Amino acid sequence: MNKNFLEDKLFWIREPQKFIIDDKKIEIYTEPNTDLWQRTYYGFRNDNAPILQTKTKDKYFSFTVKTVFESKRRFDQCGVIIYIDSYNWFKASIEYENENYQRLGSVVTNNGYSDWATQDISASIKEMHYRLSRRENDFLIEYSEDGNIFKQMRIFHLFKADDEIPFGIYACSPEYSSFKAVFTDMHITECKWKEHK
């Protein structure tokens, strides 16, 4: 199995005002005050980021994508996502923090509560590859700076991902900001996450 994400049947959750899709890339121009988060610690609930997804019933696959971004204000972000509904989703991205560092991280939301796992990286990094792999209800997210050597970010479980799931890309600007996020090299392949023995 080796499919081009751009050739799959794609659908928007909250279509952005400005975007470009051609046969090689997707560009999303973020809008201010858009975000995804549910309850934990901060207390607020945000669910208005634009998401472009496809669906699959395949229980074993990997999805890779390269992101290039011009983020410049706190929490600007773009990356990969599994958005089942407002209360059950996953996202991985780099969130801009300041001119010195940003946060490479991921959020898993089960039953309306989000977590956030991060590591600090240089603010000079403006592109990143991600690989999301599924083994039934369990998932692995990895990152790569060169698109060849992938490193584990986390393993997680989604309770609502027991059958067909949506997955794809997203971009948003939680504060008053806007930037261009470019997605390329988007492929759906056999599962690269091998069975544990």
Side-chain angles (χ1 to χ4, degrees), residues 149-170:
I149 300 173
F150 283 85
K151 299 177 182 180
Q152 178 175 305
M153 291 173 64
R154 75 188 295 174
I155 293 171
F156 62 97
H157 185 86
L158 287 175
F159 293 102
K160 300 294 185 181
D162 52 356
D163 190 21
E164 183 178 61
I165 63 161
F167 67 93
I169 60 172
Y170 85 103

Side-chain angles (χ1 to χ4, degrees), residues 15-34:
E15 181 177 308
Q17 293 182 24
K18 184 179 180 182
F19 65 91
I20 297 170
I21 300 177
D22 60 32
D23 59 354
K24 292 185 178 179
K25 70 179 183 304
I26 299 169
E27 295 181 3
I28 297 176
Y29 295 79
T30 64
E31 296 160 29
N33 305 310
T34 51

Side-chain angles (χ1 to χ4, degrees), residues 6-23:
L6 284 163
E7 296 174 355
D8 234 3
K9 186 176 182 180
L10 306 178
F11 63 95
W12 285 103
I13 304 290
R14 294 175 294 267
E15 181 177 308
Q17 293 182 24
K18 184 179 180 182
F19 65 91
I20 297 170
I21 300 177
D22 60 32
D23 59 354

